[in-house]
Amino acid sequence: MLSASTIKLLRLPFSIFLSPLYFFALAQVPDIHWSNAILVFLILHFLVYPASNGYNSYMDRDTQSIGGLENPPPPSRELYLTTIVMDVAAILLGFIVDPLFGLLMPLYIGASKAYSYRGIRLKQYPVIGYLTVILFQGAFTFALVYYGSNSENTLWAPWQGMVICALLIGGFYPLTQIYQHQQDLDDGVATISYKLGYNGTFVFCAIVYMLAWLFMAQFFINKHEGYKLLLISIFFVPVIVYFVRWSIAVRKNNNAANFKNTMKMNWLAASCTNTAFIILVIWKSIE
């Protein structure tokens, strides 16, 4: 039985923030292999992502708020061992999906470890750390889901989808760092959000989100599926409204860039985008 602190630091609910990428990728698969698709979901959201969270917490030993936890407990050796077991389980289950899928899993896990591991610590470099996150949590995740869930076992994945997922993560990730500037600096980490500043973070994220929407527009219009773009745009409206209101509040008072407001943004964005992309998956299955 795992301790309460270990379970907390795995931050399972945090996987919800990353699940829109899965559903977006799944909605683009021409012929879904449903049993594999379910297994891919479980591997990513119940093993890979929580193990990454736990390993990051073990390396960082945060005493202040982190994504999904306002008051994180101290990490233990049990947490570290649990993340290793979860990573091994993810790789082994990956081979059930497909041998190549199983071989690709260590690439994602390795990038995650390199991001947090004290001996490499990619997260301490604002640009390299940012690019690592958007390439692996965004583009590479799209490719994994697309390949693992596809009955055709094709090695090809739409490059536009990979770019869209990279940009979706790219426009979201700096906002998760905005309340941790001092905590990260104390740990020797200068995040891209810190380099951009409070107001710069909002401007940067707005630009990246706009690019994501433009690539979506090109992607869906080229496929003569403009109606799907309209659906996504409708669900983006509440996110944009909150984003603008929050950015104005931060411009007036930097204290508004806090854990509570960040979590509100995360939950709203995840709820809206998950709903939109799940509808696309259902829509595709009945077309």
Side-chain angles (χ1 to χ4, degrees), residues 198-221:
Y198 292 112
N199 296 325
T201 296
F202 282 98
V203 172
F204 179 80
C205 289
I207 292 171
V208 177
Y209 269 129
M210 178 59 69
L211 288 173
W213 186 89
L214 289 173
F215 269 94
M216 278 191 198
Q218 183 268 341
F219 183 60
F220 286 115
I221 291 173

Side-chain angles (χ1 to χ4, degrees), residues 97-146:
V97 174
D98 182 86
L100 179 58
F101 188 92
L103 289 172
L104 289 174
M105 288 306 303
L107 290 179
Y108 185 102
I109 293 170
S112 173
K113 296 293 183 285
Y115 183 79
S116 302
Y117 174 58
R118 289 282 174 180
I120 301 174
R121 201 72 166 163
L122 294 180
K123 70 183 297 181
Q124 69 183 303
Y125 309 110
V127 176
I128 294 175
Y130 176 74
L131 291 177
T132 300
V133 170
I134 69 172
L135 287 176
F136 283 91
Q137 282 192 353
F140 192 66
T141 296
F142 178 92
L144 279 176
V145 176
Y146 191 91

